[in-house]
Amino acid sequence: MRQRKLTPVPSTPSTAVDGGLAAFNAAPLPAARDFLRPCVDIDRWIEEVAAGRPYADVAAALAAARTAAPDWTEAELDAALARHPRIGERAAGADAEAALSRREQSGVGHDPDVQERLREGNRAYEDKFGRVFLIRAAGRSAEEILSALQDRLRHTPEEELPVIAGQLREIAILRLEGLLTA
Ligand code: 2AL
């Protein structure tokens, strides 16, 4: 059976959704790494998920992605966070990650009042924790995101770190599922 060619480093929106499981399974390691990086930019996770190939089906790949490199460090989280725009700030650009982010944040809407509350919440979160507020936005309304933001503002920094890791991983799994089923 002919394998579909795996798209190299995604650089345009159209490459962001190219791929598929067969292509991912068959890709040379560097191309597989490039395929995974827009999901979450953490090398240890990328290496483990790439090394687990071939996967029998998408569910098996996603199961591996859920458990790979379970212990992300604070430095790894910060590096991965740096690639996420703030909630309410539309990612500019034509690259794959910007396109994914815009789609994920589509439920946030454009209501000026909501935008202002998000700006205030983001500011309060950054003042307290020194990093961007991150949440898996796909499937969440602006009100749900604002409510989660207010809850998380009550966390200590120690309580907040595993929440960030969980949200980053949720985003990664959803992105990977999208790439593998495109
Ligand atoms: C994002 C984003 O771009 N996509 C998503 O699910 N969350 N950003 C963020 N700051 O939480």
Side-chain angles (χ1 to χ4, degrees):
M1 197 181 76
R2 246 181 107 243
Q3 303 279 16
R4 266 204 291 162
K5 196 169 153 280
L6 189 74
T7 307
V9 186
S11 57
T12 69
S14 63
T15 62
V17 290
D18 202 350
L21 182 66
F24 178 56
N25 276 339
L29 184 57
R33 289 189 185 116
D34 291 343
F35 181 85
L36 289 167
R37 197 167 299 281
C39 300
V40 59
D41 189 6
I42 294 183
D43 285 334
R44 289 187 308 126
W45 181 86
I46 290 169
E47 290 306 322
E48 277 191 38
V49 177
R53 296 173 304 149
Y55 294 104
D57 50 31
V58 170
L62 297 181
R66 274 188 202 99
T67 53
D71 51 347
W72 291 341
T73 66
E74 204 169 335
E76 286 173 326
L77 295 182
D78 280 333
L81 277 179
R83 298 182 65 139
H84 285 276
R86 291 185 180 97
I87 289 289
E89 285 185 3
R90 271 176 70 81
D95 58 290
E97 281 171 84
L100 287 165
S101 169
R102 285 194 293 271
R103 196 166 57 199
E104 289 157 359
Q105 293 205 31
S106 60
V108 172
H110 303 282
D111 182 300
D113 177 53
V114 167
Q115 296 296 323
E116 182 52 29
R117 288 161 65 207
L118 282 171
R119 264 194 298 279
E120 280 169 18
N122 280 330
R123 207 160 32 234
Y125 185 97
E126 288 172 29
D127 285 350
K128 172 158 183 180
F129 296 111
R131 48 173 67 94
V132 165
F133 169 68
L134 180 99
I135 188 165
R136 184 260 302 150
R140 285 189 163 117
S141 67
E143 288 303 331
E144 288 167 333
I145 289 172
L146 278 163
S147 160
L149 202 166
Q150 295 308 326
D151 287 347
R152 285 171 53 185
L153 273 171
R154 286 192 279 273
H155 286 171
T156 63
E158 292 71 27
E159 287 169 335
E160 184 58 8
L161 276 179
V163 179
I164 297 168
Q167 294 301 301
L168 260 180
R169 198 172 286 265
E170 282 188 27
I171 294 169
I173 303 306
L174 284 175
R175 289 185 174 188
L176 182 58
E177 184 175 19
L179 290 170
L180 290 177
T181 54

